[in-house]
Amino acid sequence: MNLVSFSIRTKGSHNFVRRLGTVFTRFGFSETPTRRALNTIVDSVQQYTGAPTFFIPAVVLQRHPTLIAEIARKGAEIGVHGYVHNDYRTLSRDQQFEQTEKAISVFQKAKLPYYGFRNPYLGWTRESLEVYATLGFHYESNVAVLHDVVDISAFSPLLRSGFAKSLELFQAVPCNVYALRPDFYGALLRIPTSIPDDEMLFDRLRITDPEEVGRIWSRVMQRVYEMGGLYTLNLHPERGVLCKRALDSLLSYARSRELPVWVVSIGDVAQWWRERSKFRIHMTPLGDNRWQVEANCTQHATVLARHLEIEDQLTSPWYGSDVRVHSQQFIVCANTTPCIGVSKQTPDEVMTFLNEQSYPAVRCTRGESLSYAMYIEKPAGFGGTLEAQAEAKRALVEQIEELEMPLLHFGCWPDGNRATLAISGDIDSVTVQDFFLRIVEVFRHT
Ligand SMILES: [Zn+2]
């Protein structure tokens, strides 16, 4: 299948014709318009001491190594967006492996460090995850969390059906506390991304007013802040200049929250999550409902306490029932042990997950269950399929987050940040020529 028929199948013929019309306005025959767009995004994000992440197909990098090296030198992270811009769901595991390896060799030849992979059309399969893990990627950024922030019923049936096609294409998952957190798949981290992206707003719903787009993105930020998660914005650089005001208003909204929001590249999110997954809390009973606490963590950890009396250290209000403890060693006082009890029949995968999520947990018997903040008895673990596991993990994380019991734990983000904002974009093409070369390249590699 070639790009034209693929695009028509996934986007609808009327959208494909509209898309062709915009190619000549958004791209040039030289690199100049894309250079300007990339710089615009980097500059906006750097004002908030962050850096964006751009994903690029290796063949496009091969044609524009100087431009991409220049953007990387400015501080942007560059990730892999396939060898060519094709849908991995149409490839076998071996083809996925071979094309990912070829993409890596292009990045290596260009001397560009790479940590992450995002699929064109977010088209991942279970085989893709194994391929990325085997080939040493730190993370993939494909799980599309849908933020329900636009009233779709107000749009025409034609636009609604286009929007629905995107949700299907992107394998969208509903938003919840757990879906907004990175998650391990073996050694590989899965860093969620979010939709609607710029393309869904502009091309599908035809919302083109930058102020309205900025308001929509800020609404997403508001919800992510409330849930304490990660907002990965997807903004194709071809709309970088057009969306500058929208991006600036999102960044300024994030900055104006009561607690800080961490603006950072996706690679840094992955590195942090790996660091954080090793944090542990040790408690030694001192008698009389008192515990000596030692938080084994780095200095950036956000140590949180809920419904606890902290005897000898400074705390500050944080979010909901949690207060932030400004020390790694302190004494707490509570009626129950401020950690989670897990039955001996519950498999290790549950303990591993709780540790990765930085919730302190110990094995205990049913008879002891009432002396802990919460008791988990899950002899069957999280279940077999990826979907069943995600559902069980979601329910567990939500239950712990809503717990109104004495509990010590680590916040998701460093240095007391409540939420994280990662600005990302896929450089599908740099020039008009790239746009049309895609048709040939995808045809050859599918
Ligand atoms: Zn793409």
Side-chain angles (χ1 to χ4, degrees):
M1 195 189 332
N2 65 27
L3 178 74
V4 178
S5 64
F6 181 79
S7 288
I8 290 174
R9 184 170 67 91
T10 57
K11 301 186 177 198
S13 52
H14 65 287
N15 266 330
F16 186 69
V17 172
R18 276 171 55 84
R19 179 90 181 98
L20 273 185
T22 60
V23 170
F24 293 95
T25 56
R26 290 188 193 150
F27 300 102
F29 289 99
S30 78
E31 292 175 345
T32 308
T34 297
R35 174 176 279 109
R36 192 187 314 130
L38 292 170
N39 278 308
T40 301
I41 297 173
V42 174
D43 291 345
S44 284
V45 181
Q46 276 181 345
Q47 279 181 26
Y48 293 82
T49 62
T53 304
F54 297 119
F55 296 93
I56 187 166
V59 288
V60 182
L61 167 63
Q62 214 162 21
R63 287 195 284 273
H64 307 281
T66 315
L67 168 64
I68 302 306
E70 186 186 310
I71 297 300
R73 261 199 315 276
K74 268 192 88 167
E77 178 197 358
I78 311 293
V80 185
H81 195 44
Y83 177 66
V84 299
H85 198 277
N86 57 356
D87 191 335
Y88 268 31
R89 285 168 292 195
T90 65
L91 305 180
S92 67
R93 188 202 174 276
D94 289 350
Q95 286 172 314
Q96 292 190 26
F97 193 91
E98 190 192 317
Q99 293 187 23
T100 309
E101 248 189 339
K102 274 171 85 173
I104 288 174
S105 75
V106 172
F107 272 70
Q108 285 170 339
K109 231 176 259 166
K111 296 196 168 56
L112 258 189
Y114 59 91
Y115 307 103
F117 196 106
R118 177 182 288 158
N119 285 80
Y121 315 105
L122 306 178
W124 65 278
T125 66
R126 195 155 179 163
E127 290 78 35
S128 322
L129 304 182
E130 274 141 31
V131 168
Y132 308 147
T134 309
L135 290 173
F137 281 93
H138 294 194
Y139 74 88
E140 59 90 55
S141 171
N142 286 311
V143 176
V145 179
L146 172 64
H147 294 277
D148 189 12
V149 288
V150 181
D151 178 13
I152 302 301
S153 67
F155 292 84
S156 74
L158 182 69
L159 298 187
R160 282 209 307 267
S161 94
F163 192 82
K165 271 193 191 122
S166 292
L167 295 185
E168 205 188 311
L169 179 68
F170 295 149
Q171 310 173 84
V173 301
C175 177
N176 57 64
V177 173
Y178 166 67
L180 294 178
R181 294 180 178 189
D183 197 15
F184 281 97
Y185 180 86
L188 182 75
L189 265 169
R190 308 197 68 191
I191 313 275
T193 185
S194 56
I195 49 173
D197 64 355
D198 60 320
E199 195 174 278
M200 288 170 82
L201 296 180
F202 279 80
D203 292 354
R204 297 293 199 185
L205 299 177
R206 309 210 182 142
I207 301 172
T208 53
D209 171 17
E211 274 180 32
E212 178 55 15
V213 172
R215 273 195 294 274
I216 292 170
W217 290 349
S218 299
R219 277 207 291 278
V220 175
M221 188 70 247
Q222 183 189 354
R223 286 164 44 119
V224 171
Y225 179 88
E226 284 161 8
M227 294 190 187
L230 164 69
Y231 178 15
T232 307
L233 175 80
N234 274 344
L235 164 60
H236 287 79
E238 61 189 79
R239 289 188 200 84
V241 175
L242 194 67
C243 287
K244 179 177 163 41
R245 261 165 60 212
L247 179 59
D248 288 343
S249 69
L250 165 65
L251 287 161
S252 125
Y253 177 84
R255 170 64 58 87
S256 71
R257 296 303 80 205
E258 200 179 336
L259 292 171
V261 172
W262 193 31
V263 181
V264 74
S265 69
I266 308 179
D268 283 350
V269 170
Q271 200 181 3
W272 163 253
W273 205 261
R274 221 172 277 282
E275 179 179 322
R276 177 186 179 272
S277 69
K278 298 190 182 81
F279 295 173
R280 299 288 181 270
I281 291 173
H282 296 292
M283 291 174 221
T284 314
L286 300 174
D288 295 333
N289 292 333
R290 292 164 78 239
W291 287 265
Q292 171 70 51
V293 177
E294 194 165 332
N296 266 341
C297 56
T298 58
Q299 53 165 346
H300 294 294
T302 302
V303 181
L304 300 175
R306 191 180 296 179
H307 299 300
L308 282 166
E309 221 178 281
I310 313 289
E311 282 191 4
D312 51 351
Q313 292 295 338
L314 214 64
T315 62
S316 55
W318 201 67
Y319 193 87
S321 306
D322 286 322
V323 297
R324 190 173 168 205
V325 188
H326 297 272
S327 172
Q328 294 174 12
Q329 283 178 331
F330 48 96
I331 292 170
V332 296
C333 191
N335 294 331
T336 51
T337 315
C339 78
I340 295 165
V342 180
S343 82
K344 297 195 166 107
Q345 292 71 37
T346 301
D348 283 343
E349 64 164 349
V350 176
M351 286 297 276
T352 306
F353 177 72
L354 290 168
N355 281 331
E356 277 168 11
Q357 295 288 322
S358 297
Y359 296 124
V362 293
R363 294 284 186 182
C364 72
T365 63
R366 183 183 273 267
E368 296 162 330
S369 63
L370 287 178
S371 54
Y372 291 91
M374 182 180 152
Y375 177 64
I376 298 175
E377 186 155 35
K378 277 183 178 294
F382 289 127
T385 64
L386 271 186
E387 294 73 25
Q389 288 185 10
E391 178 50 28
K393 289 174 177 177
R394 175 201 64 74
L396 184 57
V397 168
E398 277 181 358
Q399 199 185 347
I400 297 171
E401 284 301 316
E402 283 163 14
L403 206 59
E404 292 296 344
M405 289 287 285
L407 182 70
L408 282 164
H409 62 121
F410 291 104
C412 284
W413 311 111
D415 305 313
N417 283 288
R418 171 62 189 165
T420 290
L421 173 62
I423 308 298
S424 75
D426 304 342
I427 311 175
D428 296 340
S429 309
V430 169
T431 59
V432 170
Q433 296 89 305
D434 290 328
F435 186 87
F436 289 103
L437 277 168
R438 256 169 76 175
I439 299 171
V440 184
E441 289 160 353
V442 171
F443 184 71
R444 278 202 198 130
H445 291 86
T446 302

